[in-house]
Amino acid sequence: MKEVLELIEKKKQEFAKLPLLGYLGNESIDPLERVSWAPCFAPFAMMFKDINAYALRKEPTDNPIQEMINRHSYEDGCHWRWYLNDIENLGLNDSLKFSDTLKFLWGKQTEKTRQLCYNLFALCVFEDDLMVKLAIIECIEATGNIALPFFVKLGHELEEVTQQKCRYFSEYHLQVETGHIQSGLNYEQTDEFLKNLQITEEQNAKALKAVEIVFDSFSACLNEMMECAEVSSDKQKLENTNYVDTMQPVA
């Protein structure tokens, strides 16, 4: 598994350079503006529950690796509740007609995010090899381990502005995203376990391909979120300009 883990680390460092993460940490921008993309993230935040429940988890099992995956799936599959908490408390819960909600969730602005979900689901459902599934989980955990420190910093700023406690954009969320599969072991023990796993050449090739797909999909998703943030920012600036114009005295 060593070569797979090395590729994950390489992709992780590339992922850390995505524009959205720099944007989230830019304190010169209003924190409420920096979180404006969050509704567009709904397909992943909500679908991740199903990926864990239906694509990763298999019960009953007597396989220790599958048992690790099952244990992980229960922890990772509950984060959608935190996302909904923040959407509500941060004032992002604008009311839409049901048809408008469907158009939004399946619209152009969430296309890459939906593709990320479909890719993860397909990789996990149609791949029976547990070594490859472990590699996929490690990729997901790696992206969270990179992005969540930016979420936490933004969450602290949002709490100061709104006086509301964040759950998804929070330290607590970061603490459960250790960068490795949640297996009941600590980080060092899990790290050692993964590094010592012996896999075949075929498993290695499939795992390397899966790593590329997962990181490419997550990167496309975050780039799409950056586009959502820019659109929201432009819209806000236009609304502010229109408001100022209405305040001008009539000649």
Side-chain angles (χ1 to χ4, degrees):
M1 187 68 83
K2 183 179 178 182
E3 185 180 359
V4 176
L5 295 175
E6 288 175 350
L7 178 60
I8 290 174
E9 182 59 32
K10 176 178 178 291
K11 290 292 184 179
K12 183 178 174 181
Q13 298 309 315
E14 294 173 358
F15 186 79
K17 298 176 183 178
L18 291 177
L20 179 69
L21 301 181
Y23 175 78
L24 294 181
N26 188 344
E27 295 183 11
S28 68
I29 303 172
D30 187 312
L32 287 171
E33 184 176 332
R34 277 181 279 152
V35 79
S36 62
W37 56 272
C40 297
F41 198 56
F44 176 78
M46 301 305 293
M47 180 68 170
F48 199 49
K49 171 172 68 76
D50 287 349
I51 291 171
N52 278 281
Y54 305 128
L56 287 172
R57 188 183 309 149
K58 286 190 177 181
E59 296 175 320
T61 183
D62 56 4
N63 186 302
I65 299 296
Q66 183 62 61
E67 180 56 40
M68 287 176 63
I69 293 173
N70 290 347
R71 182 196 297 259
H72 176 84
S73 73
Y74 279 106
E75 195 290 316
D76 238 23
C78 67
H79 298 179
W80 61 274
R81 298 186 182 95
W82 306 341
Y83 172 78
L84 291 182
N85 173 87
D86 289 4
I87 289 293
E88 177 72 31
N89 290 341
L90 296 175
L92 299 171
N93 196 27
D94 290 340
S95 178
L96 292 175
K97 291 192 304 182
F98 184 59
S99 58
D100 290 336
T101 300
L102 294 178
K103 289 176 184 177
F104 170 73
L105 291 176
W106 276 273
K108 184 70 176 177
Q109 66 268 53
T110 64
E111 184 178 57
K112 298 300 182 183
T113 304
R114 298 195 312 275
Q115 287 178 1
L116 164 63
C117 297
Y118 302 148
N119 287 344
L120 290 177
F121 205 93
L123 283 171
C124 295
V125 166
F126 296 111
E127 180 53 69
D128 292 327
D129 196 313
L130 295 179
M131 295 299 120
V132 180
K133 284 190 176 181
L134 276 180
I136 294 168
I137 292 172
E138 284 298 297
C139 292
I140 296 171
E141 291 301 298
T143 60
N145 193 246
I146 287 294
L148 280 167
F150 292 92
F151 284 20
V152 172
K153 183 177 181 298
L154 177 57
H156 288 319
E157 295 179 57
L158 289 167
E159 288 177 7
E160 291 182 6
V161 172
T162 65
Q163 300 301 304
Q164 295 288 337
K165 182 71 174 176
C166 293
R167 298 295 303 279
Y168 201 82
F169 294 87
S170 72
E171 188 74 38
Y172 180 77
H173 192 175
L174 176 61
Q175 288 174 358
V176 299
E177 298 286 352
T178 64
H180 279 319
I181 184 173
Q182 302 292 313
S183 61
L185 305 175
N186 63 35
Y187 180 90
E188 289 74 20
Q189 291 170 326
T190 305
D191 193 58
E192 190 66 19
F193 169 78
L194 292 170
K195 287 178 178 177
N196 289 328
L197 278 177
Q198 299 299 312
I199 61 177
T200 66
E201 289 186 12
E202 181 182 0
Q203 288 174 321
N204 190 63
K206 289 196 296 184
L208 291 174
K209 182 177 180 180
V211 169
E212 295 281 359
I213 293 172
V214 174
F215 271 99
D216 286 350
S217 299
F218 265 106
S219 296
C221 170
L222 259 66
N223 287 335
E224 184 172 70
M225 294 304 100
M226 186 69 243
E227 292 176 7
C228 289
E230 290 171 344
V231 169
S232 178
S233 176
D234 290 343
K235 180 180 178 182
Q236 184 63 48
K237 289 175 182 176
L238 179 61
E239 289 175 352
N240 290 341
T241 299
N242 290 340
Y243 175 75
V244 171
D245 288 344
T246 65
M247 298 299 291
Q248 299 303 315
V250 178

